[in-house]
Amino acid sequence: VGFARLALPLTQLAEQKEKILEAAAIALLIALVFSLILSVVLASQLTKPIQTMTVSARQIAQGDFSVRIKPRTGDEISDLASYFNQMSSRLESTINQLTNEKLQMDSILSNMKEGVLALNARGEILLANASLRKIFSLSPDILHKMYFEGFRHPGLSELARSVLSEKQNQTAEISLGLPE
């Protein structure tokens, strides 16, 4: 019976261990740098379309509805860009329609011989056409004032009070006591 003993000096094993740790550290550092570069590139590719949409949204908020985003990829961001463009087109169309309707309404109201007064629920004057201002000798800056600040005519004040208390549209004929 016998035995055999094989051994290496511990210094040689320690050197091998240090070389393995050094190689692992270098590989880890290279992988970290590579993943950092890759993540920066991917992040910029993802955020660039979002930044473009942000700039476009800012332009639309400032009233420039001609802004369109060109979808570049076939992913969800492209879908979002397409929906953004549709929303911008519809918003532009709606604002143009509202502007035209307002111009028509202003034209109708300014050419009416009858006086027209509109108040909100709190009693602020929203609208007073030129005929009403002329009939009651009201100043042009009565809009957004409370009705009792804007005019002092008792008949008109009573009508405004009645409308506010009953919360219904009303029509009335007010006599000014003048032959005209």
Side-chain angles (χ1 to χ4, degrees):
V1 177
F3 67 90
R5 177 178 179 261
L6 299 174
L8 288 174
L10 285 178
T11 56
Q12 200 175 13
L13 286 175
E15 286 176 11
Q16 291 296 323
K17 178 183 164 190
E18 282 183 28
K19 286 181 182 179
I20 291 172
L21 287 175
E22 189 177 295
I26 290 173
L28 183 63
L29 184 62
I30 290 172
L32 182 65
V33 169
F34 179 73
S35 65
L36 182 64
I37 291 170
L38 185 62
S39 65
V40 167
V41 168
L42 289 175
S44 68
Q45 286 180 349
L46 288 174
T47 59
K48 188 176 179 183
I50 294 172
Q51 289 171 341
T52 302
M53 283 187 234
T54 302
V55 169
S56 299
R58 187 177 302 119
Q59 289 174 324
I60 288 174
Q62 293 172 350
D64 182 8
F65 298 105
S66 63
V67 176
R68 296 293 179 265
I69 300 171
K70 295 176 185 147
R72 294 200 173 111
T73 58
D75 59 0
E76 292 83 4
I77 293 178
S78 289
D79 292 344
L80 182 61
S82 296
Y83 295 137
F84 186 89
N85 290 338
Q86 289 175 11
M87 179 183 67
S88 178
S89 294
R90 286 186 182 171
L91 188 59
E92 181 178 22
S93 172
T94 301
I95 287 178
N96 287 339
Q97 182 182 0
L98 289 173
T99 301
N100 289 336
E101 288 175 6
K102 184 183 180 324
L103 289 172
Q104 289 174 349
M105 181 70 76
D106 288 346
S107 176
I108 291 168
L109 288 172
S110 65
N111 291 313
M112 287 179 68
K113 298 243 186 252
E114 295 81 9
V116 177
L117 175 69
L119 305 173
N120 67 11
R122 293 187 317 253
E124 292 175 322
I125 300 171
L126 298 177
L127 180 134
N129 72 346
S131 295
L132 182 90
R133 288 194 306 266
K134 182 179 176 187
I135 293 168
F136 290 98
S137 302
L138 302 175
S139 72
D141 64 342
I142 65 170
L143 295 182
H144 307 294
K145 291 184 178 179
M146 298 302 287
Y147 74 92
F148 49 82
E149 295 171 334
F151 49 84
R152 303 268 185 233
H153 190 276
L156 192 54
S157 292
E158 181 54 38
L159 178 61
R161 233 184 327 273
S162 173
V163 166
L164 291 172
S165 66
E166 294 180 23
K167 300 203 184 313
Q168 291 183 351
N169 292 340
Q170 295 183 21
T171 303
E173 190 170 311
I174 299 173
S175 174
L176 298 175
L178 303 172
E180 307 83 47

